[in-house]
Amino acid sequence: MALVETRSDGPPRLLAEALYSQAAMHAEYGGVVPELASRDHIRRVVPLARQVLAQAGATLASVDLVAYTRGPGLAGALLVGAGVAVALASALDLPALGVHHLEGHLLSPFLAEDPPQFPFVALLVSGGHSQLMDVRGVGDYTLLGETIDDAAGEAFDKTAKLLGLGYPGGPALARLAALGNAQAFALPRPLLHSGNLDFSFAGLKTAVATQLRKLGDDPSERLRADLAASTQAAIVDVLAAKSMRALETRGMRRLVVAGGVGANLRLREKLDAAAARIGAKVHYPPLALCTDNGAMIALAAALRLQYGLADVDRSGAFDVRPRWPLADVGGGGAVPPPTAIS
Ligand code: KG4
Ligand code: ZN
């Protein structure tokens, strides 16, 4: 949940943000149970809205637009957010705007101190998606490549589970990997030389399972750390190589990285080094805004509003889109960088 303010001389500014993480609940069940997730959303959403307003020293009277995540995602959880947002907007006689979850991730680096300029290549790496996009402006997204099976975050989560680590697996695997030797195990780099910009991570999970079986029932902490480090290196190598190829094939020198896996420090190191070699620059959202958050949704809505691309609705009716390709969000066109908006 978040409150942002549009500005005439730059990208929107974050006034307040609060997050209620369900990680502890998901951890208890080893993953997301959709029905429990949406019931918990219902309990949290109104208190969180109050908290954000209080934090910003604002009231509902200062709100001009209510944004919510329209998709993609779990229908039950989406319906809670959409229902509350549209009800609030109707009660206040305000427009409501449904935002694409990945557009939120993609634009989140505009909340960083050194925001990017359009156009750029975006690497979107979350628990559900691994995509490379050509981003010409707000709403103007062309898919360059994507995973043909597991997402990068899924690869982290599934291999973490194999190693007996908790949920979410990404940060846990990264912590263990920091203690290990990334050269210890030779793991595959799927599709590294495929010549296209697609990814595949399912085979990596199988390779890790095979290595673990070879190590027997009770591998030492050292060996588990080595395997975690080798897994992380395999994922990071492929993501970095494909991102550089995307920059080269599009003739661009700006890369934006977003989504939960964008919080991975090894990935950041590798991308920064690879980009420096070709004279490119990598932009990230603030570390805390890599994983799912309300700030990126409010920001995407504010940017759409600022660019005249907000397909706002005052009818009080709404739908959610559990499946919704990012390239279908529409509204795009070559646009000036935010700093040039008047
Ligand atoms: O974007 P996100 O918060 O939620 C989705 O939209 O899916 O991404 C969550 C994913 C999970 O798979 C999680 O394990 C991964 O991001 N993740 C990480 C790290 N932090 C979160 N993966 C690797 N290293 C991290 N530090
Ligand atoms: Zn996400």
Side-chain angles (χ1 to χ4, degrees):
M1 190 83 61
L3 198 63
V4 304
E5 178 181 58
T6 51
R7 290 184 294 173
S8 57
D9 58 347
R13 195 158 55 103
L14 182 60
L15 299 180
E17 195 249 341
L19 181 85
Y20 177 79
S21 170
Q22 294 185 330
M25 183 179 82
H26 300 329
E28 234 177 278
Y29 295 87
V32 180
V33 182
E35 184 59 25
L36 293 182
S38 36
R39 284 176 192 218
D40 197 44
H41 279 333
I42 295 173
R43 275 194 293 273
R44 308 294 171 188
V45 63
V46 173
L48 213 53
R50 289 214 172 92
Q51 185 185 328
V52 164
L53 286 169
Q55 226 168 284
T59 64
L60 284 175
S62 53
V63 175
D64 300 307
L65 174 102
V66 187
Y68 61 93
T69 306
R70 191 179 183 193
L74 295 171
L78 292 170
L79 279 168
V80 175
V84 170
V86 173
L88 187 62
S90 294
L92 298 171
D93 198 20
L94 294 174
L97 179 63
V99 172
H100 194 292
H101 178 82
L102 294 182
E103 183 169 50
H105 275 306
L106 191 81
L107 298 174
S108 60
F110 284 102
L111 290 170
E113 277 184 10
D114 181 18
Q117 304 236 315
F118 297 113
F120 52 77
V121 167
L123 173 69
L124 276 180
V125 271
S126 70
H129 294 85
S130 297
Q131 302 184 331
L132 279 161
M133 312 277 311
D134 181 328
V135 179
R136 299 270 145 186
V138 176
D140 192 348
Y141 314 127
T142 308
L143 184 66
L144 302 174
E146 66 182 331
T147 183
I148 57 171
D149 42 53
D150 290 353
E154 240 176 322
F156 271 101
D157 292 339
K158 287 180 176 175
T159 47
K161 205 166 188 173
L162 288 172
L163 284 161
L165 302 172
Y167 177 93
L173 191 105
R175 271 194 302 277
L176 184 59
L179 311 171
N181 169 12
Q183 267 90 50
F185 293 91
L187 295 173
R189 266 68 174 157
L191 299 190
L192 185 60
H193 302 294
S194 64
N196 63 16
L197 297 171
D198 286 338
F199 304 100
S200 164
F201 292 108
L204 191 57
K205 175 193 59 195
T206 314
V208 172
T210 307
Q211 290 294 347
L212 264 174
R213 258 197 309 278
K214 282 191 202 156
L215 295 179
D217 283 343
D218 194 16
S220 68
E221 190 62 17
R222 180 61 205 263
L223 281 171
R224 289 170 69 248
D226 286 350
L227 191 50
S230 303
T231 307
Q232 175 174 260
I235 299 170
V236 163
D237 278 358
V238 178
L239 293 176
K242 297 263 169 162
S243 299
M244 295 309 121
R245 187 173 303 153
L247 285 173
E248 274 164 8
T249 56
R250 306 307 280 188
M252 288 201 217
R253 286 294 172 267
R254 272 186 296 270
L255 178 73
V256 155
V257 181
V261 181
N264 187 276
L265 296 179
R266 185 68 200 112
L267 175 66
R268 290 182 172 217
E269 279 169 17
K270 184 97 192 180
L271 284 172
D272 288 342
R277 279 196 291 276
I278 61 167
K281 181 165 166 52
V282 194
H283 294 265
Y284 307 92
L287 205 53
L289 300 180
C290 275
T291 42
D292 289 351
N293 62 85
M296 68 186 196
I297 301 302
L299 167 86
L303 278 172
R304 282 196 158 254
L305 196 65
Q306 200 168 1
Y307 282 87
L309 298 170
D311 191 9
V312 295
D313 190 57
R314 287 176 175 273
S315 69
F318 65 92
D319 66 355
V320 294
R321 297 192 175 178
R323 289 175 184 279
W324 187 13
L326 179 58
D328 290 356
V329 289
V335 287
T339 43
I341 297 174
S342 58

